[in-house]
Amino acid sequence: MDLEAAGGAVTAGLIAGAVEKPAGHAGEHEDNICSDCGAETSGNFCSNCGQPTHVHRTLLHLGEELLHGVLHFDARIWRTLPLLAFNPGRLTREWIHGKRATYVSPLAIFLFTVFLTFFALSFVHMPQPTLQPVATVAGAEGAAEFEQGRRQIAEARATATSADDQVALAVADNVLAGMSGFKAEQGAPRADGLAPGSWQAGVHDVAARIYASDDSGPRAKKMAKKLMNPDLALYKIQQTFYKFAFLLVPLSVPFMALLFLWRREATLYDHGVFVLYSLTFATIISVLAIALGFISPWLGGLAWFAIIFGFPVHQFAQLKGGYSLSWFSTIWRFFFLQVFCLIASLLFIFAVVWLAVGT
């Protein structure tokens, strides 16, 4: 297990807990003075700063705070997740209209799920090379046939009398020579230490050609130089993705605003809530699909198939319920929403790759 990834998940939970306002029961009221701001209190929370009036000082409560920070282990998460999955429109609408203490905030749950994704993807490894040396593919029988063909060409050349025969034999010999070179190239270890036929070797070779080309500009050469170390480049892209996942929100909100230009009651804050809850749901189901893929590739494939068709249905329900739209208004907005999602995703991917290997 990647300890750095686990630490990221814990840190995300603590960050998410830090942006939450106190809610629920804080314990028995002990005195009428807030231990934080000194104001008079009359309940479980200070009316001036929100500090709980009952301050725990036990080791057990320290563990409880950690568990709460990592998992939001209180009643709100159990009210938020079912609505997020099965009635996202109601969740979005109620949060927008001020029902805040009942649910986990969209920003908090988004922060946590982003780092949860980082934790899950730390278990994912790139596919192993699929190309094998020719000798391995053909086996001993194929290698014997290869050598037999070479001997037959040599014998035919020795007895050939016409110019046409000589040309035909030369062409056949060149084909065999090319096959031999391919076999040697695939089977021999590379000088850079990359596995022959692997995706890393392919990326390195393309990047090396771009870097050596006189037609490549300075920016292209800089990116190609970084891509010549594919594993490091992939690591930087992953790190950039987690660090700048929040960019999906400002990239998406303007497109949502375009869908509601003439509805003044729909504010940018409303669009931000919609985007955060939608991205959170997409992240959670992606993590579940990854986990099912570890259990069984068949289950993972089935999960991704369900996501492809299920997530648009979820977006449609959230759009209709969150903004209280009619069927007609939802349908045409949903169509443009899919286009905008594609554009925002491409812009985000471009930004991540640019930040990782282009700067």
Side-chain angles (χ1 to χ4, degrees), residues 113-130:
T113 51
V114 165
F115 281 88
L116 180 64
T117 303
F118 171 68
F119 176 70
L121 291 181
S122 67
F123 294 94
V124 178
H125 302 284
M126 296 302 295
Q128 296 299 317
T130 56

Side-chain angles (χ1 to χ4, degrees), residues 70-81:
V70 174
L71 299 176
H72 292 289
F73 204 76
D74 59 12
R76 286 178 297 165
I77 192 65
W78 306 122
R79 288 192 291 263
T80 303
L81 288 180

Side-chain angles (χ1 to χ4, degrees), residues 130-165:
T130 56
L131 294 177
Q132 300 293 332
V134 172
T136 303
V137 175
E141 182 179 352
E145 291 181 358
F146 181 86
E147 294 301 328
Q148 182 181 1
R150 184 184 297 278
R151 287 195 301 270
Q152 289 176 350
I153 289 177
E155 294 172 357
R157 179 180 287 107
T159 59
T161 56
S162 67
D164 291 338
D165 289 340

Side-chain angles (χ1 to χ4, degrees), residues 16-357:
V19 301
E20 290 288 344
K21 296 295 183 183
H25 298 286
E28 297 296 332
H29 179 57
E30 294 182 335
D31 51 46
N32 60 350
I33 300 297
C34 176
S35 58
D36 190 357
C37 67
E40 291 188 3
T41 60
S42 59
N44 289 333
F45 296 95
C46 174
S47 60
N48 183 49
C49 68
Q51 165 83 8
T53 55
H54 179 76
V55 181
H56 297 275
R57 296 183 63 183
T58 65
L59 184 61
L60 180 62
H61 183 70
L62 184 62
E64 180 185 345
E65 288 183 342
L66 178 62
L67 185 63
H68 171 79
V70 174
L71 299 176
H72 292 289
F73 204 76
D74 59 12
R76 286 178 297 165
I77 192 65
W78 306 122
R79 288 192 291 263
T80 303
L81 288 180
L83 283 182
L84 181 62
F86 302 109
N87 199 345
R90 176 187 167 188
L91 175 63
T92 303
R93 185 176 63 254
E94 290 189 348
W95 181 272
I96 288 174
H97 288 90
K99 199 170 183 180
R100 309 289 171 82
T102 306
Y103 308 115
V104 178
S105 75
L107 178 59
I109 199 170
F110 174 70
L111 284 172
F112 181 74
T113 51
V114 165
F115 281 88
L116 180 64
T117 303
F118 171 68
F119 176 70
L121 291 181
S122 67
F123 294 94
V124 178
H125 302 284
M126 296 302 295
Q128 296 299 317
T130 56
L131 294 177
Q132 300 293 332
V134 172
T136 303
V137 175
E141 182 179 352
E145 291 181 358
F146 181 86
E147 294 301 328
Q148 182 181 1
R150 184 184 297 278
R151 287 195 301 270
Q152 289 176 350
I153 289 177
E155 294 172 357
R157 179 180 287 107
T159 59
T161 56
S162 67
D164 291 338
D165 289 340
Q166 293 287 353
V167 172
L169 290 170
V171 171
D173 198 37
N174 288 334
V175 171
L176 284 179
M179 291 176 62
S180 178
F182 176 78
K183 181 176 68 175
E185 179 182 352
Q186 294 295 316
R190 293 169 57 102
D192 52 25
L194 299 175
S198 63
W199 69 269
Q200 292 98 330
V203 171
H204 175 276
D205 293 342
V206 172
R209 287 194 293 269
I210 295 175
Y211 185 76
S213 175
D214 295 333
D215 298 330
S216 302
R219 180 66 63 180
K221 285 182 176 292
K222 185 177 181 179
M223 295 182 65
K225 185 177 181 180
K226 292 184 178 180
L227 289 172
M228 287 170 66
N229 189 341
D231 289 318
L232 180 59
L234 178 63
Y235 176 77
K236 288 183 176 180
I237 291 174
Q238 289 178 334
Q239 292 295 311
T240 305
F241 173 83
Y242 306 127
K243 291 177 181 178
F244 293 93
F246 66 89
L247 286 178
L248 280 168
V249 179
L251 285 174
S252 302
V253 167
F255 290 113
M256 290 297 302
L258 289 176
L259 297 177
F260 296 90
L261 279 177
W262 50 92
R263 291 190 55 166
R264 294 186 177 180
E265 67 273 17
T267 65
L268 292 178
Y269 176 84
D270 302 347
H271 305 324
V273 172
F274 178 93
V275 170
L276 284 169
Y277 276 138
S278 183
L279 290 175
T280 298
F281 178 75
T283 304
I284 291 175
I285 58 178
S286 298
V287 171
L288 291 176
I290 293 172
L292 289 174
F294 281 110
I295 298 173
S296 168
W298 183 83
L299 286 176
L302 185 63
W304 286 112
F305 180 80
I307 288 174
I308 292 174
F309 292 97
F311 182 65
V313 175
H314 185 274
Q315 276 190 321
F316 185 91
Q318 186 183 7
L319 186 64
K320 186 178 187 305
Y323 293 96
S324 301
L325 302 175
S326 66
W327 282 97
F328 175 75
S329 296
T330 307
I331 290 172
W332 75 259
R333 284 185 171 91
F334 173 76
F335 172 78
F336 285 103
L337 178 61
Q338 303 311 300
V339 178
F340 293 157
C341 284
L342 178 61
I343 296 174
S345 300
L346 292 176
L347 289 174
F348 175 70
I349 293 172
F350 176 80
V352 167
V353 175
W354 181 264
L355 290 169
V357 299

